[in-house]
Amino acid sequence: MSSPTDSAAGRALRWASLSRLLSWLAVLVGAGFVGLFLFQAGLFALLLPGEPPAPPVDNPDQITATTSTVNGIDRENQPYQVKAVKGWQDSRNPTLVHLETVEGQFRRASGAEYTITARTGAYNTKVKELDLQGNVVIVQKDRFTALMDKAHVVVEEKKLTSGVPVDVTFGDGTIKANGMEITDDGARILFLNGVKARFGAETAKGDPGP
């Protein structure tokens, strides 16, 4: 028959074991509540690996395209093409398209072809006019090459005007001027303002007539 001392010791042992069990249960229940809170707060979703976030959009309401191209027929029923590495619609004027690395290809009724390139441009789709800026180069093979910083092009008329310094090289000479006009659907070229022309060993100065 057990003594009162043994009974008290047994009860104390059982109580100690029960206390440890209850402590572990309390820890587990507490961890469960914390986990549930984190899950509801969405923190687990942030910690778990998932799909990479979408790249930020600079101008979400702006129309942007790469390798933009405009094709058309001019007044002489000759095809033309204006293309760019990148183009985007102006945020205020929907008829204006900004272009980067621009190249225009044109053809005269005689069949002669020439190209116009520039670093940037702005094309008005309503009036079909093109403003070019930055290293504007006009090349007509076997005829001439003209370099300027700015130019305005009326696309369907193949008309170009520039009011900045122009350097032109051709077969047997060079021309420097402070302005240039190409009219008559590309057939007529006029140099303006302080023209200096050099042909071979000879030099002439003045504004050539129309």
Side-chain angles (χ1 to χ4, degrees):
M1 185 173 181
S2 60
S3 64
T5 303
D6 292 338
S7 297
R11 286 194 299 271
L13 181 61
R14 287 194 298 273
W15 178 251
S17 299
L18 181 59
S19 297
R20 287 194 297 269
L21 179 60
L22 291 175
S23 297
W24 281 108
L25 288 175
V27 171
L28 291 176
V29 171
F33 278 115
V34 172
L36 180 61
F37 173 76
L38 292 176
F39 178 79
Q40 291 179 343
L43 295 181
F44 277 171
L46 295 177
L47 296 175
L48 294 175
E51 296 182 358
V57 179
D58 295 333
N59 299 287
D61 297 326
Q62 188 180 76
I63 299 175
T64 305
T66 56
T67 317
S68 302
T69 303
V70 176
N71 294 288
I73 301 295
D74 63 28
R75 295 194 314 182
E76 292 187 318
N77 292 321
Q78 300 300 313
Y80 66 82
Q81 182 181 82
V82 178
K83 57 184 179 180
V85 171
K86 181 181 179 182
W88 64 96
Q89 187 181 48
D90 188 86
S91 59
R92 296 182 178 181
N93 183 356
T95 66
L96 189 65
V97 179
H98 299 279
L99 305 172
E100 288 185 1
T101 313
V102 190
E103 179 179 317
Q105 299 176 350
F106 302 90
R107 188 170 71 187
R108 295 175 55 195
S110 63
E113 298 180 351
Y114 60 94
T115 62
I116 303 175
T117 59
R119 282 199 296 267
T120 62
Y123 182 69
N124 190 310
T125 59
K126 184 177 181 179
V127 297
K128 298 183 180 179
E129 295 183 2
L130 181 64
D131 284 299
L132 300 172
Q133 187 167 349
N135 196 35
V136 181
V137 181
I138 307 171
V139 177
Q140 184 171 332
K141 190 176 180 181
D142 299 327
R143 189 181 178 194
F144 72 91
T145 298
L147 174 63
M148 64 206 76
D149 188 60
K150 296 180 181 180
H152 177 79
V153 182
V154 181
V155 175
E156 289 192 337
E157 299 179 18
K158 295 192 288 286
K159 178 182 178 181
L160 180 144
T161 57
S162 179
V164 299
V166 179
D167 290 330
V168 183
T169 59
F170 48 95
D172 60 349
T174 61
I175 295 176
K176 292 182 181 293
N178 291 310
M180 178 180 184
E181 289 184 359
I182 299 178
T183 57
D184 294 341
D185 291 301
R188 181 181 179 188
I189 301 176
L190 179 65
F191 299 99
L192 307 168
N193 303 326
V195 179
K196 297 180 180 180
R198 180 181 295 273
F199 302 93
E202 298 182 358
T203 302
K205 298 182 180 181
D207 289 344

